[in-house]
């Protein structure tokens, strides 16, 4: 949700910032901008509506230079996506301002601050909350404060969630940054420093990173980095080496990141399983020290997540209750947080998040921790340095690698595998699972990467089916049991990237409403694994075909379903167990959404109005 990149170096930083923005574009792409401070030419900025490419074109036509710079790619919250609302925001509002600011997050008290600033004579050029920060700093400078003191005095007044990078022309070799509720990382180079909202942006220039903590601020020059914590005390934060490679943000041979990430799933799942299962068992260390003790006394599981991660949690609920007989509730974080939920003792809280920075998910676990600091929170997450990981008691990393496409694919599959590992770990520690069952599930999980590969091999056939959907305005997805959340995920993928209105229903609910929508204009997409619900699903299928719907079925080879006029059956897999089935059957639905979007010509990796990491509530 908005991307920041900043640099202070001896060399020209413009190209580094632009490359960083390209790598951060998945966080927001309404507009982009850059401000550079050049020793001789002073502060200059450029902004453009739309993608980073539009900004790059503008800079090519009218280059600006500098060894100190800040840049931003925006996902609009306050103010429509037009150039005057794009970051950086300058104060005063003239071509060569004295202060330039880029900001992620939301300043909750911006209206109060703005009113004060307007009273003291400031004029505003944008509708954003961010602009108040630039004016606040400028105002403090006007009172005679040093640049550093003005920065701190202004940040002290901000309420809300933010990550900031600031240039003050009075300190032409200094970059000021702050982190409170929005991620920010500092990149350490040789005689140069960088900052960004995601380390991915800086991989071409450094592998050494300092992850700022909540409330940290830093005053950064080429050689010196001074960090203060939330209590204004100077602190040292460790420098960590990233194992990620610069090319992990490249599309490689694939046309879109989404397709690349769909195809990375066999490897991502193999990585997630590595070192966690062996000889038919879950390894005791998989969830870290102290996990077994917590798992042994668990009486309930409460899963909290948003978006695609929520759907992974929904699948796990079927597993936990069916296989372990362990009560499990799943809720979207934004609802859970605000409905004053009752959480009984011995409940294990599981927060599921690809990014570990989703504001609603973080707010929900913080609320639970405030209520009872001893209540155990397990994070299943894909970002090792994220806020969620840092604030949780137990952690299982999903190891999907960087996921760039806004529509989540490999993160979802690895979350499902991670939840299956949790099922095994709780089963073992609490004695709720027989050893033979554990061995059977482990053996099934080991086969998942190969089976996904087989499902991916149906890509051409899925593309043919996509051609039949491309002109449709609506679609209905049906599933039963753990396939119901998979139907929800399939519908979400389709609506996210192709903008076709899609909804998912448990197939048994069809006759309680959605059947009224069925006619030849309403395609119905369903998943038919070979299980005890297959016959019931077949009855539901008959109900929709009888009413003229065009039917698309992703089926087990043994399901006994065959294509006919307006019924398209694609056998996807065979002999998959109840843990593997949702993971495998999800693959053709990912491919279906992808191909429909490509045929419609939408922006697959960066669908309109969405962002990869939603760091505002
Ligand atoms: C956004 C993304 C989704 C993602 C959701 C939750 O809406 O576009 O793909 O599923 O956030 O994100 P998280 O990082 O917490 O899994």
């Amino acid at each position: 949700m908005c991307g920041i990149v900043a640099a202070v170096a001896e060399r020209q930083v413009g190209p580094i910032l632009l490359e960083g923005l390209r790598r951060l574009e998945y966080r927001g792409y309404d507009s982009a901008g850059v401000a550079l401070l050049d020793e001789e030419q002073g502060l200059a900025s450029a902004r453009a509506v739309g993608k980073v490419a539009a900004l790059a074109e503008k800079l090519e036509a009218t280059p600006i230079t500098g060894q100190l710079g800040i840049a931003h790619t925006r996902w609009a919250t306050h103010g429509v996506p037009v150039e005057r609302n794009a970051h950086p925001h300058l104060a005063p509002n003239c071509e060569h301002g004295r202060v330039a600011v880029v900001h992620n997050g939301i300043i909750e008290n911006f209206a109060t601050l703005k009113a004060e600033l307007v009273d003291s004579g400031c004029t505003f050029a944008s509708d954003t909350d961010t602009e108040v920060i630039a004016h606040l700093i400028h105002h403090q400078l006007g009172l005679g404060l040093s640049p550093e003191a003005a920065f701190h005095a202004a940040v002290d007044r901000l309420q809300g969630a933010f990550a900031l990078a600031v240039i003050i022309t009075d300190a032409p070799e200094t970059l000021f940054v702050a982190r409170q509720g929005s991620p920010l990382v500092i990149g350490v180079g040789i005689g140069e420093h960088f900052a960004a909202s995601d380390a991915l942006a800086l991989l071409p220039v450094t592998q050494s990173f300092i992850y700022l903590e909540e409330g940290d601020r830093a005053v950064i020059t080429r050689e010196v980095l001074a960090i203060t914590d939330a209590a204004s005390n100077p602190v040292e934060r460790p420098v960590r080496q990233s194992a990620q490679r610069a090319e992990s943000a490249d599309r490689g041979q694939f046309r879109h990141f989404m397709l690349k990430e769909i195809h990375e799933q066999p490897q991502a799942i193999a990585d997630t399983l590595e070192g966690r299962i062996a000889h038919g068992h879950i390894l005791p260390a998989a969830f870290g020290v102290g996990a077994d003790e917590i798992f042994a006394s668990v009486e309930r599981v409460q899963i909290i997540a948003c978006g695609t991660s929520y759907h992974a949690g929904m699948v796990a609920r079927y597993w936990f209750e069916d296989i372990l007989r362990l009560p499990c509730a799943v809720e979207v974080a934004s609802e859970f947080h605000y409905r004053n939920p009752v959480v009984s003792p011995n409940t294990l809280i599981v927060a599921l998040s690809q990014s570990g920075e989703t504001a609603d998910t973080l707010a929900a676990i913080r609320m639970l921790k405030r209520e009872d600091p001893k209540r155990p929170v397990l994070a299943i997450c894909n970002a090792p340095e994220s806020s969620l990981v840092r604030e949780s008691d137990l952690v299982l990393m999903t190891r999907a690698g960087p996921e760039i496409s806004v529509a989540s694919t490999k993160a979802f599959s690895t979350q499902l595998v991670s939840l299956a590992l949790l099922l095994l770990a709780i089963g073992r520690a609490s004695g709720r699972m027989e050893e033979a069952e554990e061995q059977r599930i482990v053996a099934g999980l080991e086969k998942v990467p190969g089976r996904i590969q087989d499902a991916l091999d149906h890509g051409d056939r899925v593309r043919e089916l996509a051609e039949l959907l491309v002109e449709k305005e609506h679609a209905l997805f049906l599933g039963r049991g753990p396939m119901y959340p998979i139907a929800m995920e399939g519908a979400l993928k389709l609506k996210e990237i192709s903008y076709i209105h899609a909804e998912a229903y448990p197939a048994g609910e069809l006759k309680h409403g959605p059947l009224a929508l069925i006619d030849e204009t309403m395609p119905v997409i369903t998943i038919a694994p070979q299980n005890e619900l297959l016959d019931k699903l077949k009855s539901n299928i008959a109900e929709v075909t009888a009413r003229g719907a065009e039917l698309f079925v992703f089926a087990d080879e043994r399901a006994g379903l065959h294509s006919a006029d307006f019924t398209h059956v694609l056998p996807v897999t065979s002999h998959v167990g109840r843990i593997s089935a949702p993971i495998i059957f999800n693959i053709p639905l990912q491919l279906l959404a992808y191909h429909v979007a490509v045929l419609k010509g939408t922006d697959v990796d960066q669908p309109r109005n969405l962002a990869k990491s939603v760091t505002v509530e």
Side-chain angles (χ1 to χ4, degrees), residues 588-608:
L589 299 187
Q590 294 175 340
L591 288 169
L592 186 71
Y594 173 76
H595 288 301
V596 173
V598 170
L599 290 166
K600 285 194 76 168
T602 57
D603 190 338
V604 173
D605 286 331
Q606 294 169 346
R608 69 186 179 201

Side-chain angles (χ1 to χ4, degrees), residues 34-80:
V34 58
L36 295 173
L37 182 59
D38 186 285
E39 271 171 30
E40 277 152 32
Q41 323 221 343
L43 185 71
S45 70
R47 301 180 294 178
V49 173
K51 300 269 182 116
V52 175
L55 177 69
E57 257 174 46
K58 210 165 184 175
L59 288 169
E60 207 160 296
T62 322
I64 55 175
T65 54
Q67 298 80 18
L68 171 64
I70 56 176
H72 190 262
T73 174
R74 180 169 186 248
W75 185 85
T77 56
H78 292 71
V80 290

Side-chain angles (χ1 to χ4, degrees), residues 337 362-373 375:
H337 179 197
L362 287 173
I365 63 152
R366 285 171 186 158
M367 182 264 289
L368 288 167
K369 279 283 180 194
R370 266 197 308 277
E371 253 180 38
D372 178 1
R375 184 180 277 149

Side-chain angles (χ1 to χ4, degrees), residues 340-356:
N340 201 10
V342 178
V343 181
S344 43
N346 293 331
T347 298
L348 175 67
I349 307 295
V350 180
L352 271 181
S353 174
Q354 187 284 126
S355 63

Side-chain angles (χ1 to χ4, degrees), residues 32 59 78 86 123 154 196 205 233 269 271 360-361 364 428 434-435 455 470 489 499 506 542 548 605:
L59 288 169
H78 292 71
T123 51
V205 283
N233 297 315
I269 287 174
D271 291 346
D360 285 315
T361 308
R428 172 159 263 249
E434 302 279 328
E435 194 164 337
V470 73
E489 176 56 12
Y499 316 146
D605 286 331

